Amino acid sequence: MTEQQLQFTRQEEHDNVWLSHLNTSEFSTEDYGVKPLVLSSEAEVGQAMLQELYTTAANKEGDINIALLGGRGAQELHRLLGELAKSGEQDELLARLNVFTQDALAPMNMANGFSFVRDFERILGADFFKKIKSFTPMQTDTADLESALKAYLTKLENLGGLDIFFIGHGPENNQASHLAYIKPFSGAQWHHVAGIIPISNSILEHHINKFKAGGSVVNEKDEEECRSAQFILTLGPAAILKAKKVVQSVVDADSAPAKIKTYAKVLNTKISSDPIEAEKQLNENPGLWIRLHSNAKSFVLPDLEVQ
């Protein structure tokens, strides 16, 4: 494959920096809804997510590009992948994987225990990273975060974009939510591929709490550095909408009970057919972006109280 140097346009919205490509296509407001599948345990959710990977592998030749989900949402999937890497049962599949992270706190040392990369290494294990084709995290230990993010996006898009975007659901104030780390009122639009978002105390507390709840190996020095992070790097709406498949998992309503109401709002809010009104809805509640994807699945647990 010939590497192409991609050009990005830059847009600022209230200190949020968004990167995109020149695009003459129109914004589609077609709402596909959300159809949650309630499973009985995190183990079942992990198995269902793994099955989505198997299905993609069976239906596609060559490389498979995936975005890993951090926190508890995909830990069971990661444990299963780690076990497969140790057993050698799926080495052919693993050798086809180009693995990307989807968000990160920055600036922060890549070795920090609150980094998703360290958490992935802890659960997936060394054998997994030896056997996959490539692993590309968002670089967080550089003075030029924007250039590093462009290099990351260039690699992802030269490889053909995401086959599976494993994604979660993060709670926000006023029963809103975020996907990846697309925050409410951050100005994210349908053509934005990725962004650099000023951090807030709510992001830091949510991030730190979910890492501790998930059993990450952390210490006071790591937490101090994490709390001094200034930005969130995140994939944007365009990366979600262009992914061939979106697989959502929401398994931690026990430790993040606000998700019960925020998920229900995404489930029950119809996106307006008027593009201006739709953009307003999506800016207020970015969790709604999943409703615009025609091939999205949402695996949840009973404690999410889906009716």
Side-chain angles (χ1 to χ4, degrees):
M1 179 181 296
T2 302
E3 290 288 321
Q4 296 183 6
Q5 188 60 45
L6 303 180
Q7 299 298 313
F8 296 90
T9 59
R10 185 182 192 275
Q11 182 178 348
E12 278 198 49
E13 289 283 341
H14 305 293
D15 297 325
N16 300 279
V17 175
W18 291 102
L19 303 175
S20 61
H21 302 304
L22 292 175
N23 196 321
T24 57
S25 60
E26 294 183 357
F27 172 41
S28 173
T29 60
E30 185 171 358
D31 188 336
Y32 298 95
V34 179
K35 301 175 183 65
L37 178 60
V38 182
L39 300 174
S40 63
S41 67
E42 284 189 54
E44 284 193 17
V45 171
Q47 191 63 54
M49 296 170 78
L50 181 61
Q51 187 57 52
E52 292 298 327
L53 177 59
Y54 287 159
T55 300
T56 292
N59 293 332
K60 182 191 180 186
E61 294 183 357
D63 291 0
I64 302 169
N65 308 324
I66 66 173
L68 291 178
L69 169 61
R72 266 182 65 189
Q75 284 188 344
E76 285 299 324
L77 168 65
H78 298 163
R79 289 190 180 97
L80 289 171
L81 288 171
E83 290 170 4
L84 290 172
K86 287 181 180 178
S87 71
E89 294 176 23
Q90 291 288 341
D91 283 2
E92 185 176 347
L93 169 60
L94 295 177
R96 297 167 62 190
L97 294 183
N98 294 308
V99 179
F100 292 82
T101 55
Q102 62 184 269
D103 48 37
L105 276 67
M108 193 163 71
N109 192 306
M110 298 291 283
N112 189 296
F114 285 98
S115 163
F116 283 124
V117 175
R118 299 285 79 78
D119 208 42
F120 293 146
E121 290 176 347
R122 176 177 68 90
I123 301 175
L124 288 159
D127 290 329
F128 175 83
F129 289 95
K130 289 176 183 175
K131 292 183 176 182
I132 61 175
K133 187 163 187 178
S134 71
F135 176 61
T136 308
M138 291 177 170
Q139 188 178 352
T140 58
D141 56 357
T142 174
D144 191 350
L145 293 171
E146 195 169 320
S147 291
L149 186 57
K150 289 177 180 178
Y152 163 99
L153 293 171
T154 296
K155 180 174 181 180
L156 173 58
E157 297 195 28
N158 276 325
L159 288 171
L162 291 171
D163 293 296
I164 307 179
F165 198 138
F166 289 109
I167 205 163
H169 170 95
E172 296 290 339
N173 294 330
N174 301 315
Q175 295 181 19
S177 50
H178 64 259
L179 290 183
Y181 260 118
I182 306 169
K183 293 281 289 180
F185 303 105
S186 61
Q189 298 178 34
W190 64 274
H191 54 88
H192 291 150
V193 185
I196 302 174
I197 300 173
I199 210 155
S200 67
N201 287 334
S202 64
I203 288 180
L204 285 172
E205 288 304 321
H206 175 68
H207 182 88
I208 290 169
N209 289 338
K210 75 180 181 181
F211 265 59
K212 289 180 176 178
S216 297
V217 179
V218 296
N219 55 50
E220 290 184 6
K221 183 179 179 181
D222 286 348
E223 183 169 342
E224 183 179 353
E225 183 186 36
C226 181
R227 289 186 181 279
S228 66
Q230 297 174 285
F231 303 101
I232 283 282
L233 310 180
T234 183
L235 286 175
I240 296 172
L241 298 178
K242 290 180 181 178
K244 297 175 182 66
K245 180 193 298 183
V246 173
V247 177
Q248 182 181 60
S249 60
V250 189
V251 300
D252 55 349
D254 57 346
S255 60
K259 292 189 179 187
I260 296 171
K261 291 184 177 180
T262 61
Y263 185 86
K265 190 169 183 179
V266 169
L267 189 62
N268 297 315
T269 300
K270 177 73 175 176
I271 295 177
S272 173
S273 59
D274 176 73
I276 295 176
E277 181 60 28
E279 287 185 8
K280 180 181 176 182
Q281 288 178 291
L282 292 159
N283 192 37
E284 291 176 349
N285 188 6
L288 292 170
W289 283 107
I290 197 170
R291 295 183 65 99
L292 297 180
H293 200 288
S294 61
N295 187 21
K297 296 188 177 180
S298 187
F299 300 123
V300 306
L301 294 183
D303 60 8
L304 202 60
E305 301 179 11
V306 172
Q307 301 297 320

